[in-house]
Amino acid sequence: MSTTTELLKGAAELFPDEVVTQAHVRHFDLPLGAGRFALITLDNGHDHTKPTTFGPQSLANLDTAIDQVEKEAAAGDIVGAGITGKPFIFAVGADLKGVELLGKHKDALAIGKGGHDVFKRLAGLAVPTFAYYNGAAMGGGVEVGLHCTYRTVSAAVPAFSLPEVFLGLVPGWGGCTLLPNLIGAENAVKVVIENSLNQNRQLKGTQVHELGIADAIFEGADFLEQSLIWTASVLKGDLVVERPVIDRGEGWDQAVAKGRSLADSKVHGAAPAAYRALDIIAAAKNGDLQQGYDAEDKALADLIMGGELRAGIYAFNLVQKRGKRPAGAPDKSLARPVTKVGVVGAGLMASQLALLFLRRLEVPVVLTDIDQDRIDKGVGYVHAEIDKLLGKGRVNQDKANRLKALVTGVLDKADGFTDADFVIEAVFEEMGVKQQVFAEVEAVAPAHAILATNTSSLSVSEMASKLKNPERVVGFHFFNPVAVLPLLEIVRGEQTDDASLATAFAVAKKLKKTAVLTKDAPAFVVNRILTRFMGEIQNVIDEGTPVETAEKAIEPLGLPMSPLVLLELVGPAIGLHVSQTLNTAFPDRFTVSPNLRAVVEAGKRGFYVYDSGRPELDPEVAALLKQGDTVLTEEQVRDRVLDAVAQEIGLMLDEGVVAEAQDIDLCLITGAGWPFHLGGITPYLDREGVSERVTGRRFLQQGVASVPA
C-alpha cells in the first residue's frame, strides 16, 4: 500500500458520509488519426445541483484511475490523457463537510499531501495531459487542471475561481505555486487574493482564457468534441501552444506587494489566509514546485486547525443552506399568488423596490405618492435603470419594452391598488405617517392583499393596530442598496397570520433574497446590533477618546469599513433616528449621542472629507465635537464595544428575536457585509472569550464554527 493510499484511507475513515466522486476511464481514437486517448470523467452520480467534490475516497478513486492510465502511457498504448467533468460541472474542490470534521493537525496535513500526491501524477505521466474545463470549476477543481500539460475551457463556464482565501484557507493543491508560474504573479494575485476578497468574485470562461489559464476556448454546445480536435492537432504537432514569458524579477515582487496592500485594506491583518497565500506565491518565484507544495501542505493544515476557516465554512453553510431554508417560515403551501404589486412612495428607496419587484416577479407594479412630479420621477428612475440593463445586454429590447409597460404611477391609491395582491410602503419613518398610509391602502386594496412595511426600526404591530385586518401586515425590511445586499428581514407582528407570512417568504424567494424571520422587536436584528456597536463607538468619542483611536480599535475585526464610514453610508440622520427609537425602548443600553445630533443638525453627511483621496476628519465636524477628558486605548475601546455587542446579542436571543444565534450571523453577513472569516459575529465573540465573559456562555457549541473539542 502506497503512502498516498494510506493517507487517504485514514482520512476516509474520518469522513464516512462523503458524497463519493468516481473517476471513470474510457478510451477512443482521437480525430485526425492522432492516436489512442484515455479520458477520465469525474462524476459523483448526481445531477448538476450537487457539484462534484474531492473528499478522501474521491481522491483515492482518481488515484486508481491514474494507476491505469500511467501503465497504459508507459506501455505506449495511449498518446495522451485528459480529464473532464459531468454535464455543467468540472469539479468544485475539496469537500468542506469533511474538512469540518478534522480535529488533528496530522489529519489536516494528510488531506493536503493526499491531494498533492494524486494531482502531481498527472504532470508525471509519460504522455501529455489535458484538462477540459467543461463547467463550473473551483478550488481543487481548478487545481487538478493546473497539473495538466494543457487546458481548454468552455465559453459557457459560469463560475471559475480559487475561493479558498474567501473562506479562510489557501489554494493548497497547487494553486499558489502553479498558477503564478503559469500566468505570472500579477494575474495569480488577482485570482487568488483580489477576487476572493471581493466577495468571492467568479471568472467566466472567456476570462479564464484571456488570463492564460486555458490555452483554448470553445463554445459549450460541442465543447468536448472541439477540444479533442484541438488536442489531436497539438499531439500531431500541427498546433504549437505558446505561452508568454513570466516576469520573475521586480514585477513579481510588485505583484505580491500589491496583494499585501489589498489584503491590509480588506482584512487589516485580522485573518491569516491571504498573507499565507501571498508568502507561497512570493516563494514560487524560484520555480521550485515541490518547495511550494510543501508550503501549501503546511499552510493548509495550520489554517484548517484555525478558527477563521471554521468560521468561514460556518458562514458559507449559513448562506448556502440556512439562507435557503429560513428557520420558522410557515408551510409554503399557505402562500397566496402575487400577480400585482403596489408601492407607496416614489422616492429612491421605493423606486429601487419597484425595480426589484418588476425584474424578479415580472408582474404589474404601480407606484403612488403625494404629487405627480414625484411619481413621474419614480417611474422615470425605473425606466432609466431598465435602459441601463438593455445597454449592458442584460435584457433584450423586447423584454425592456415589456418591463417598462408593466410599471405605472397613479396619484389616487384607489386607481392602482384595488387589484393588488401585495402592497409595500416605503414612506417617511414616522409611525403616524405609516399608520395613515396603511389605513388608506386597507380602504381600497382587496381583502387578501398583504400590507408590507419597509420600516427599519418601528413596531410592525403598532403600525397594524388600527386596521380592521391587522393579520395581513408584515415587516419586509430591505437593506440599502437594495440590488446589492441580499438580506430581507421578515417581521412577524403580534397578529400576523401564517398565510400572510408564508406569502411574504414566497415573494422573498422570488426576489432572490435571503429571508430571516424576526420577532417584532425594536430595530429587529441588524440595526439593533449595529446601533449598539456604533453607540459604544460614539460614546467613547463623546467621553474623550480621539476619533482616530476609536476607529482603529475595530480594525482587528477586519470589517469591510470603519464604523464612521459605515455611518456615512447609512446616513447620520437615519443613524440618529434609529438610536432615538432604541433609546426609547432600552434607555439603559442605548444612548443618543449629542455629537451625532450636532452633526445631523449641521446638515453634514458624514464625519469625513476625502480631499486627499483618503478619509480625513472634516474640520467643520471637528469644530462641532464636544468631548470629555476620558481617553481610552484601542484595546479598551475594542473590549468595550465587543462587550456591548455580546450583551445585546445575548438579550436578543433571550427575547427570541430570532430562532438561534445562526440567524444573527446570517443577518450580519448578508445585510451588513460582515466578512466570512468572522462567521458573522458570534463565532468571533466565542473565539475571543467575549461571550463567556459577558453572558457566562458561548453562543455556539464547540465545533459548530470552531475546531471540534
Side-chain angles (χ1 to χ4, degrees), residues 564-632:
L564 293 183
V565 173
L566 173 64
L567 180 66
E568 192 171 300
L569 183 70
V570 171
I574 292 174
L576 179 65
H577 171 78
V578 177
S579 69
Q580 288 168 332
T581 300
L582 284 160
N583 173 252
T584 301
F586 309 115
D588 57 323
R589 301 193 310 279
F590 288 86
T591 56
V592 179
S593 165
N595 281 320
L596 177 59
R597 182 183 280 118
V599 167
V600 172
E601 288 174 352
K604 305 300 293 184
R605 297 188 60 81
F607 277 64
Y608 294 121
V609 289
Y610 297 85
D611 297 339
S612 64
R614 298 172 59 84
E616 295 176 1
L617 188 62
D618 183 341
E620 293 180 14
V621 170
L624 292 171
L625 296 182
K626 293 181 179 176
Q627 295 180 279
D629 53 11
T630 303
V631 179
L632 302 183

Side-chain angles (χ1 to χ4, degrees), residues 307 311 314 529 532-533 554 557 638-653 661 664-665 668 674 677-700 705-706:
Y314 164 79
I529 292 171
R532 186 75 196 274
F533 174 81
I554 306 304
L557 275 73
R638 186 163 55 253
D639 285 348
R640 185 161 149 184
V641 170
L642 292 177
D643 284 2
V645 170
Q647 181 194 33
E648 203 59 38
I649 290 171
L651 291 166
M652 289 168 70
L653 293 172
I664 283 175
D665 294 321
L668 285 174
W674 281 42
H677 72 259
L678 290 186
I681 182 62
T682 68
Y684 179 84
L685 295 173
D686 285 348
R687 192 163 71 240
E688 297 297 312
V690 181
S691 312
E692 290 184 74
R693 183 172 75 234
V694 175
T695 69
R697 67 183 192 273
R698 294 172 61 93
F699 289 124
L700 300 168
S706 53

Side-chain angles (χ1 to χ4, degrees), residues 42 58 104 123 160 232 268 283-284 470 605 630:
L42 303 169
S58 304
K104 295 178 181 174
F160 185 105
H268 309 286
R605 297 188 60 81
T630 303

Side-chain angles (χ1 to χ4, degrees), residues 214-250:
D215 301 301
I217 184 168
F218 302 107
E219 291 302 318
D222 57 351
F223 168 70
L224 189 56
E225 180 184 350
Q226 293 301 318
S227 291
L228 293 173
I229 294 170
W230 181 86
T231 297
S233 298
V234 171
L235 290 172
K236 288 183 69 180
D238 298 339
L239 193 156
V240 177
V241 173
E242 294 184 1
R243 295 179 182 140
V245 176
I246 301 299
D247 180 351
R248 297 184 183 278
E250 196 176 326

